[in-house]
Amino acid sequence: MGGTLRKSWTWRAIAVGTAGVLALGACGGNDDDDASGSNTGAEAEEPTDEPGDVASFCDDIDDLGLGVSIGEGYEGIDPSLAAAEDAAPDEISADVTTMAEENRAQVVAGPPPEGEPPTIPSDDFFAAANSVGDYMADNCGYQVIDVTATDHAFDGIPVDAEAGKTLIRVTNDGTEYHEVVLQRVQQGETRSVEEILALPGEGGDLLDFLGNAFAPPGVGNWAVVDLSAGRHVAMCFIPTGATTPEALQSGQADDTAELHVMRGMFAEMQIS
C-alpha cells in the first residue's frame, strides 16, 4: 500500500489477525481498494474442523483474522468465522463466539449515518479478544511482541526481532484511542521516519501495510503479522484528542487534525 497517509479517514474495521484490519485511511490515498477484500479474497470453506483442534484453530485465525466490521461490513467472512468457532478449544470457545457475533451484529446494523461517530465494539468484544490473544500467545507458536501504548508513545517494540508469524499484543494505558499500525519500509530506503513523514503524501508510497491492532483506552487487542527481513515501523494514526467515538469522527473529517504519529508515536524494528 502507498499514497497519502492522512487522507480518507474512513473506518473499515476494528480487527484482529492478519486479514482483518482497522483502516482509518492510514494506509494511503487508495484506501478504498478492496475494503473488504482482505477478508474475502478467497472462498471460505464450510466449517470442518474438530472442536478443540488447536492447530486448526490457529490456522483459521491466521488465515482469516477475526474482524469486527465498521462501515461496509464483512458479510463474506461468516463461513470463516464459523470455522474458527467450530475449531475453538473449549477454554476460549465462548470468547470466539462473542467476537463472531459482534461481527455479525455490525454487519446487520450497517454503517453509521454520515456524520455520525463510528461504532466501537462492545467491552465484551475486547475482553474476549484479550482472552483469545492470550491463548494464541501460549499455544499457536507465534513470536510474541507485547506493546504498551500511552499518550503518545509505544513501549515494548524491540529494536530487533525475528522473521515469521508474530502476535502483536497491544495494551492501551493512555486516555486516548490508540493503534499499532505495522508497516514495512521499502527496501533500500534509508531516510528517517521523520523525513519520510515530511515527504509529499507523508511518505505513504514508501510504506507497505502489514497489519494493525486498535484499542480504546484501558483495554487491549492484537494482530498477527508475517514478518520478513527488513526495516519496519509501528505507527499510530489516531487524531490527537480522540478520547470518544465522537472525537474519532472529528478526526475523520478534519484534515488538519494532528495525528499521534506526528507527535512522535512511532517505533522502528529491524527484522532478520
Side-chain angles (χ1 to χ4, degrees):
M1 284 188 173
T4 303
L5 295 175
R6 182 188 295 274
K7 302 293 185 183
S8 303
W9 278 70
T10 55
W11 283 75
R12 294 182 197 157
I14 290 170
V16 289
T18 53
V21 295
L22 165 70
L24 293 159
C27 298
N30 295 325
D31 62 326
D32 286 336
D33 294 346
D34 197 11
S36 61
S38 293
N39 285 296
T40 60
E43 290 294 325
E45 299 292 333
E46 290 299 316
T48 58
D49 297 327
E50 292 295 326
D53 184 336
V54 175
S56 294
F57 172 75
C58 294
D59 286 344
D60 289 334
I61 290 292
D62 179 43
D63 290 341
L64 167 67
L66 281 174
V68 174
S69 63
I70 301 290
E72 295 90 344
Y74 290 132
E75 294 91 339
I77 68 172
D78 193 64
S80 295
L81 286 169
E85 288 181 277
D86 189 58
D90 290 343
E91 56 263 53
I92 55 168
S93 177
D95 296 309
V96 174
T97 296
T98 294
M99 298 174 73
E101 289 179 347
E102 182 92 30
N103 181 85
R104 294 171 185 135
Q106 292 207 15
V107 168
V108 170
E114 185 175 354
E116 293 296 316
T119 303
I120 305 299
S122 67
D123 291 344
D124 288 344
F125 166 80
F126 287 103
N130 284 335
S131 294
V132 173
D134 290 345
Y135 179 88
M136 293 168 64
D138 291 339
N139 295 277
C140 289
Y142 302 135
Q143 175 177 222
V144 179
I145 297 176
D146 287 310
V147 182
T148 300
T150 57
D151 306 333
H152 301 98
F154 293 127
D155 183 53
I157 295 177
V159 174
D160 299 291
E162 296 180 358
K165 294 291 176 64
T166 301
L167 176 70
I168 297 177
R169 289 190 295 188
V170 57
T171 300
N172 185 352
D173 282 349
T175 61
E176 302 183 21
Y177 291 91
H178 289 298
E179 61 180 348
V180 176
V181 177
L182 188 64
Q183 306 198 72
R184 188 179 188 276
V185 182
Q186 290 188 5
Q187 187 173 0
E189 178 55 55
T190 60
R191 282 170 286 193
S192 69
V193 173
E194 292 91 341
E195 289 173 315
I196 291 173
L197 291 172
L199 293 172
E202 291 145 326
D205 289 335
L206 302 176
L207 303 170
D208 296 323
F209 175 82
L210 296 181
N212 77 324
F214 166 90
V219 298
N221 206 345
W222 54 267
V224 175
V225 293
D226 193 359
L227 299 178
S228 59
R231 181 184 172 198
H232 294 65
V233 59
M235 301 177 172
C236 180
F237 292 98
I238 303 294
T240 299
T243 58
T244 65
E246 290 77 14
L248 284 175
Q249 175 66 31
S250 174
Q252 291 178 358
D254 183 2
D255 197 44
T256 66
E258 185 176 40
L259 308 181
H260 291 172
V261 67
M262 299 303 185
R263 292 193 161 202
M265 194 167 183
F266 59 83
E268 290 200 56
M269 181 170 59
Q270 185 69 32
I271 306 304
S272 58

